Amino acid sequence: MVLVLLLSPSTYRGAARTRLAHHMVRATLPVLPGFTALAALVSLSITRIVVVTAQSYGLSRYALEMVVRVLVLELIPLTAALFVALRCSIPQGLELARLRAAGHLDRLRRQGADPVRMELLPRVLAGAYAGITLAALSCVVALAMAYLGVYGASLAGLPGYTRMFGQVFTPAFTLVFVLKTLFSSLAVALIPTASALHPGPGMTELGGLARMFALLLLIELVSLMGNYYG
């Protein structure tokens, strides 16, 4: 139901658009500086470790390509999704569970409003937007840090770097990367929050987290198969 509403034009009209924008800003803005700084630090550290290790084995020519493949294509989308789940989606799921326990969702139903559209949908869209935004920005930061880690502040390596970038990001790899980022962001945005709408004895939230991690693992496996076995 949420995925259908995400594709419905009526979701983005009138007062609903203002509510969605508010949730998107609230979910993304607080975590953006910290995650960007963390991505820059981790990218620079991993780049340095890989380059030094490759030099010791005489494989320097492959070091930068390996950094881009592993860091940008594999680690960044997964890390961004998990970061959004911990800092955004899971807290919003708990907030939604408290609203349900307080009877807020039942009051909306009695007033003729749809709790899914009013409370769940904005949180899901905000989580997905945060995941995609963090992944896109951190990929740019990681690419910049990888270049600085290998070539420093000089522009001499830019032609070779752009050529290597084009060889790595083929249309097939780019499509897999975009789909992986999109589905990972939707998974971490939808599952923890939607689980809060289903009252159950004891372990509903834990079950939702288990489903989320299982789906992320499946997305990662499918993306690896698409990249390296296609």
Side-chain angles (χ1 to χ4, degrees):
M1 186 185 301
V2 170
L3 295 178
V4 171
L5 289 174
L6 286 175
L7 299 176
S8 174
S10 62
T11 301
Y12 308 97
R13 294 175 183 163
R17 181 168 54 193
T18 303
R19 185 167 59 251
L20 290 175
H22 170 74
H23 279 277
M24 290 164 68
V25 172
R26 192 182 71 169
T28 306
L29 190 59
V31 301
L32 196 59
F35 186 78
T36 303
L38 179 63
L41 180 62
V42 172
S43 301
L44 195 58
S45 301
I46 292 178
T47 300
R48 185 60 182 169
I49 292 171
V50 171
V51 169
V52 170
T53 304
Q55 287 176 348
S56 65
Y57 288 98
L59 301 173
S60 301
R61 56 182 296 187
Y62 303 109
L64 190 55
E65 181 177 346
M66 184 167 60
V67 168
V68 172
R69 285 183 181 274
V70 173
L71 188 62
V72 177
L73 289 177
E74 306 301 337
L75 293 182
I76 289 294
L78 184 60
T79 305
L82 292 175
F83 194 85
V84 169
L86 293 174
R87 293 294 303 273
C88 175
S89 299
I90 294 176
Q92 287 188 347
L94 295 175
E95 179 184 3
L96 203 57
R98 287 193 294 267
L99 291 176
R100 186 199 69 211
H104 176 68
L105 303 185
D106 291 331
R107 286 194 296 271
L108 288 177
R109 293 188 183 96
R110 289 194 295 269
Q111 294 169 4
D114 184 4
V116 173
R117 184 183 288 270
M118 296 291 294
E119 297 294 346
L120 178 61
L121 180 63
R123 289 172 171 83
V124 172
L125 184 60
Y129 177 80
I132 294 172
T133 302
L134 291 186
L137 181 60
S138 55
C139 283
V140 174
V141 172
L143 289 171
M145 291 299 103
Y147 181 88
L148 292 175
V150 175
Y151 298 107
S154 172
L155 296 178
L158 195 57
Y161 186 71
T162 54
R163 183 166 56 252
M164 180 277 301
F165 180 86
Q167 292 172 349
V168 171
F169 279 86
T170 61
F173 267 68
T174 303
L175 178 62
V176 171
F177 171 75
V178 170
L179 292 177
K180 174 184 175 179
T181 303
L182 176 61
F183 286 123
S184 298
S185 300
L186 285 175
V188 299
L190 180 59
I191 296 176
T193 49
S195 298
L197 288 184
H198 299 282
M203 304 301 287
T204 303
E205 290 81 8
L206 186 58
L209 293 180
R211 289 191 292 271
M212 183 192 74
F213 283 115
L215 186 55
L216 286 178
L217 178 61
L218 179 62
I219 292 172
E220 182 66 26
L221 290 176
V222 171
S223 70
L224 289 173
M225 292 174 62
N227 281 334
Y228 301 106
Y229 292 96

